[in-house]
Structures are given as C-alpha cells and as structure tokens.
Amino acid sequence: MGLIYSNTDLTSSSLVFFFSLLIISPSTQQKRRSEFGKHCNFSNGETEILESILPSDAYDEQYETKKHTATGVDTTPHYSESEVNTERVVLKNTSMQHVEGGWPKDVDPTEQTDVKRYRKKVEKDEEFQFAMKTLVPRVQRCMKQNNTVNIYEEYFQEDNDTDHCSESPFAKGLAVFRDPSDVLTRSATSVNWHPEGSNNGKLAVSYSVLNFQDERLNNPNLPSSSYIWDIKNSNKPIVELVPPSPLSCLRYNPKSSDTLVAGSFNGTISYYDLRKQPNGTNGKVQPALSSVVEKSHHDPVADIFWVSSKTGHQCVSVSTDGQMLWWDTRKLEEPIDSLILTTDSKGGGMTLGGSSLEYNTEAGPTKFLVGTEQGIVLSLNTRNKKTNNGITVFDADSGKHNGPIPSIQRNPTHTKYFLTVGDWSARVWTEDLKVREECVIVWM
C-alpha cells in the first residue's frame, strides 16, 4: 500500500512524494482453524518511515496541467413530461318522459286491475291520509300564488305584429326506406315502431297492394315480404318477414319486443318470433303460427292490436267484413271470441265494416274504438255486452264522415278525447257528452 502526501505551497518542480511501502515477507504464516473469522484487533503505535524519496526534476517533462472543467449543480428536483391519448368520451343528450309514478315491482302499471287494487290499498293506509292533509295546504298556497299573477298577460301589445323568427319552421327528411322489391311497386300499409322507441331505433313496415281488383294482384311474381328496418341504415333491412300472404298491418308486442303479430291480405293472422330465426336464412323469418283461412277474416285485416291480459299473448283484429276477432297467439287455429260490428244487435241494424282500430290501456283494458267504412265511429266495452253487445254508436247523421275512416287515435293524456281522419277532414270527439249526436267538438 502506498500513501501520497503533497504540499500545495511548493511548485510543480518541487513536489514531494512520500511513499510508505508495506513489505510483505515471503515467509509462510500459519493460522489455526479456530482463529478463522475473528475480528481484527487494531492498536495504536509509533510512526515508522520505511522509505524516503527525495525531490527530483527527472519527471518534470511528464507533468501535465489538468484543464479546468465547468460543472453545474442544482438542488431542484427533475421532472419528466409525457403525453397519453385516453379513450374518447362520447357525450349525448337524453331525456325521460315521466308518465307513471314509482310503482312497486309486483305492480304492473299497464294492468288496470293491479293499479286499482294497489290504489285502494294505499288510500286505506293512515299514513296516506296524513300525507294528504299535509300536502293539500301547500298545493292550495301554490295555486293561490299562480292566480295572483296573470302568466298570460301581454306586456308588449304594440309589437304583436312583428315576427321575430329568423326563418320559418321546416322539417328535413333524414332517411328514405324504399321497398327492396324491384318487381312491382307496393304501398307501405302499416308502420310500427319498436316498443323501446328511440333507444332501439327499429321500425316494422308492412307492404301490400290493397286496391280493389288491381292488375298487380294477378302478377305471379308479386312479392309478399315485409321488412324490419334500422333507422341508422336505410340501405338494407335487417329482418325480412315472409308471410303466406302479403301483410296489411302488423304490431310489436309491448311486453315482449321480440314478437310481432300481423294481419294478411287474405284475412289470416300470423305470429312471428324473431328469436327463432334459423341460421343461414339471411335474416328471413317465417311465421311461427298462422290462422286457417276458413276461421279467419273474409277480407284483408284492417288493423290489429295487442290487448291487456295476464298471459300477454292475446290480440284483437278488425276487418271490413264486419267482424272483430280476439286471438291467442299460442293457438291460432280459431279465434277465442268474436263480435259482429252492427248498430243494433237485436235486429234491423246495419253491419259496418271496420277500417281502423284504437286501443289504449289508459282508457280502460276493455274499451275499443273502431272506425268504419261507412264513416261511423263505434265504441266497444266488452264488460257491458248486455247492452247491444257493448257497442255504442256515435253520431251517425250529420257528424259522421262521408267516407271510410282510415285512422282513429285517442289523446294520450286525456283519453276521453279522440281524433278521426277521413274524407279529407279531421274531427275531434269526446266521450263525456250524453247525447251521442253532439259528441263532435271540432271539425278541421
């Protein structure tokens, strides 16, 4: 081992090096096995110079001056910066129409019997009565506040003639769904949206030729298929319905959106289950069940609706042959009930052909509205079959339409009002008036 000492006061030519050399004796030293692993025992002693080397100028030529080097040092911590592309978040605006309140799980709001039973149970509860006593004063105070301020008051009557709208309202077509059949041009006889609405974006369309003695009906190549479309893709339908006869109307099952019921041109009823689509059929679906011609309508089915039932498999159809038939889609061999659309069930009445049908569970699970070819509106209540089979005839004189009624629909909010369209006019009716000849309230 060598130790070097330097004196910084001397010049480069007079450096003094002191080396202490440890001379190892070539003699062999022996050590016992028991002394292995013991700690060294160091002790202080006198300093002893083993070798002294005097200054010499012989190595001056080999001396090199070290160049100065600038080095920066700081105490600031260093950070690294990196960028990452995260998954894009897609934002969209959604809304919800609150129609029904928060019902328990065991209560189906579409079943009127369950709703009435639950309401009677709640109304008998003491907590409900106490809550009503608490809420009534608050509602009365809010109503009085509304009456103190005229919310319809016009503050700027002088500027009523000024039109502040920059552009007139307009509607823009987003997509066109054309009949995929290139053989003949057919009419879209019925359009029905998927029960889930805009969340699903599907609609079923039936295509047929309903003109009496039309030449196209004699064509053997007349297609009979109807289609289900996706509103995001108008180029090709997603499902093709292949019925035994062209469909004149169809409707989704509101309780099971994978099933449909349809009425055909030959008067039969077909039931479709989209879950039973065979593999390799390119989206073609055959009817799971179909009614027989002998026990079906004798004219094309005008309209069809699913009715409220415990099983969720019952539907009702109407046709211009004057019959209204109830069906169970689990067995379509024959209808489970039938009714003749006549103005007087005792005899002497006129049989009417049904051209449109309306059914809304909010108005009542047993109430139906039928528009006829003769322009007369019929109201049916199956609970009151003792009186004219439950049929009530609305204005059959001056208030009726002068032609067939192709469409009839209830007001979704106030179900006692309904709208009919026919003979280039639209009329609003009400069920509250006792005199049926005066039930038309608006003509357009």
Side-chain angles (χ1 to χ4, degrees):
M1 179 177 65
L3 302 177
I4 303 174
Y5 299 90
S6 64
N7 189 353
T8 56
D9 296 336
L10 301 178
T11 60
S12 61
S13 60
S14 59
L15 292 175
V16 179
F17 299 93
F18 299 95
F19 294 95
S20 299
L21 301 178
L22 178 61
I23 302 175
I24 302 175
S25 175
S27 61
T28 304
Q29 295 182 359
Q30 295 181 355
K31 194 175 185 180
R32 294 182 180 180
R33 183 69 179 178
S34 60
E35 296 179 357
F36 288 177
K38 289 185 178 181
H39 295 283
C40 298
N41 187 12
F42 298 99
S43 60
N44 296 326
E46 297 181 356
T47 302
E48 181 180 359
I49 299 176
L50 301 178
E51 185 68 23
S52 178
I53 300 174
L54 298 176
S56 176
D57 299 334
Y59 301 99
D60 290 348
E61 296 179 357
Q62 299 180 3
Y63 179 80
E64 293 182 2
T65 306
K66 186 178 179 180
K67 296 180 180 180
H68 296 281
T69 303
T71 304
V73 180
D74 59 358
T75 58
T76 305
H78 296 274
Y79 297 94
S80 62
E81 181 181 359
S82 60
E83 296 180 358
V84 178
N85 292 329
T86 59
E87 184 178 355
R88 184 180 296 274
V89 179
V90 181
L91 301 178
K92 64 178 182 179
N93 297 326
T94 59
S95 59
M96 180 181 65
Q97 183 182 3
H98 186 77
V99 179
E100 291 290 338
W103 297 95
K105 295 182 179 180
D106 56 344
V107 177
D108 187 1
T110 59
E111 295 290 342
Q112 296 295 327
T113 56
D114 296 346
V115 173
K116 290 182 180 179
R117 189 184 303 109
Y118 180 74
R119 284 179 176 173
K120 290 181 179 179
K121 178 182 177 181
V122 173
E123 290 175 357
K124 294 179 180 179
D125 193 358
E126 296 180 357
E127 295 182 358
F128 175 78
Q129 298 177 0
F130 176 76
M132 291 299 296
K133 291 180 180 179
T134 307
L135 293 175
V136 166
R138 299 180 183 179
V139 176
Q140 290 179 348
R141 181 174 58 84
C142 295
M143 294 177 63
K144 291 179 181 179
Q145 289 180 353
N146 293 336
N147 293 333
T148 56
V149 179
N150 185 8
I151 60 176
Y152 299 102
E153 183 179 357
E154 297 181 359
Y155 295 95
F156 306 99
Q157 298 181 0
E158 298 177 357
D159 298 337
N160 287 340
D161 298 335
T162 305
D163 187 9
H164 299 282
C165 184
S166 59
E167 59 182 8
S168 58
F170 66 95
K172 181 181 179 181
L174 300 179
V176 178
F177 302 93
R178 301 184 185 277
D179 185 4
S181 174
D182 298 332
V183 180
L184 294 172
T185 303
R186 301 181 297 170
S187 302
T189 56
S190 177
V191 178
N192 187 240
W193 284 97
H194 195 275
E196 296 179 4
S198 59
N199 296 332
N200 191 283
K202 296 179 183 179
L203 71 159
V205 184
S206 61
Y207 297 90
S208 180
V209 179
L210 299 180
N211 295 335
F212 181 68
Q213 293 183 348
D214 196 301
E215 296 180 355
R216 293 174 291 178
L217 298 175
N218 299 326
N219 191 332
N221 297 325
L222 179 66
S224 61
S225 299
S226 296
Y227 304 94
I228 297 178
W229 298 85
D230 189 347
I231 60 176
K232 298 180 181 179
N233 182 15
S234 60
N235 297 325
K236 184 179 179 181
I238 57 177
V239 177
E240 180 181 356
L241 305 177
V242 185
S245 177
L247 300 182
S248 57
C249 59
L250 49 73
R251 199 166 298 275
Y252 275 104
N253 189 343
K255 292 187 177 181
S256 177
S257 58
D258 293 325
T259 58
L260 296 93
V261 66
S264 302
F265 181 79
N266 62 355
T268 59
I269 304 298
S270 300
Y271 172 73
Y272 293 89
D273 191 346
L274 303 180
R275 296 168 295 186
K276 299 180 180 180
Q277 179 178 346
N279 296 327
T281 57
N282 296 326
K284 294 184 179 180
V285 179
Q286 300 284 345
L289 293 173
S290 296
S291 62
V292 294
V293 178
E294 292 78 7
K295 297 184 179 181
S296 302
H297 291 284
H298 305 306
D299 287 348
V301 182
D303 207 348
I304 190 168
F305 266 91
W306 293 91
V307 297
S308 177
S309 62
K310 294 182 179 180
T311 61
H313 292 279
Q314 294 185 9
C315 60
V316 61
S317 61
V318 69
S319 175
T320 53
D321 62 352
Q323 295 186 89
M324 190 172 178
L325 304 179
W326 280 261
W327 305 85
D328 190 338
T329 56
R330 295 173 295 182
K331 46 181 181 178
L332 291 176
E333 291 82 5
E334 59 180 358
I336 58 177
D337 197 1
S338 62
L339 181 66
I340 303 298
L341 302 176
T342 179
T343 56
D344 189 0
S345 61
K346 297 181 180 179
M350 178 176 55
T351 301
L352 307 176
S355 58
S356 58
L357 178 65
E358 167 63 9
Y359 177 75
N360 192 335
T361 55
E362 295 295 332
T366 60
K367 289 185 178 181
F368 303 88
L369 289 175
V370 179
T372 62
E373 279 190 321
Q374 293 76 13
I376 300 175
V377 180
L378 301 179
S379 175
L380 286 79
N381 191 345
T382 55
R383 287 185 178 179
N384 190 19
K385 283 191 174 183
K386 296 182 180 180
T387 306
N388 194 22
N389 286 333
I391 299 176
T392 302
V393 182
F394 284 86
D395 193 352
D397 295 327
S398 59
K400 74 180 187 67
H401 288 275
N402 297 322
I405 302 176
S407 180
I408 181 172
Q409 186 174 3
R410 287 186 182 272
N411 188 313
T413 306
H414 305 283
T415 56
K416 63 181 179 181
Y417 299 100
F418 60 93
L419 174 71
T420 58
V421 176
D423 61 21
W424 298 92
S425 64
R427 305 185 183 187
V428 180
W429 306 68
T430 181
E431 294 180 341
D432 285 349
L433 297 179
K434 297 181 179 180
V435 182
R436 292 300 176 186
E437 288 74 11
E438 299 177 357
C439 55
V440 181
I441 57 177
V442 178
W443 288 19
M444 292 180 286

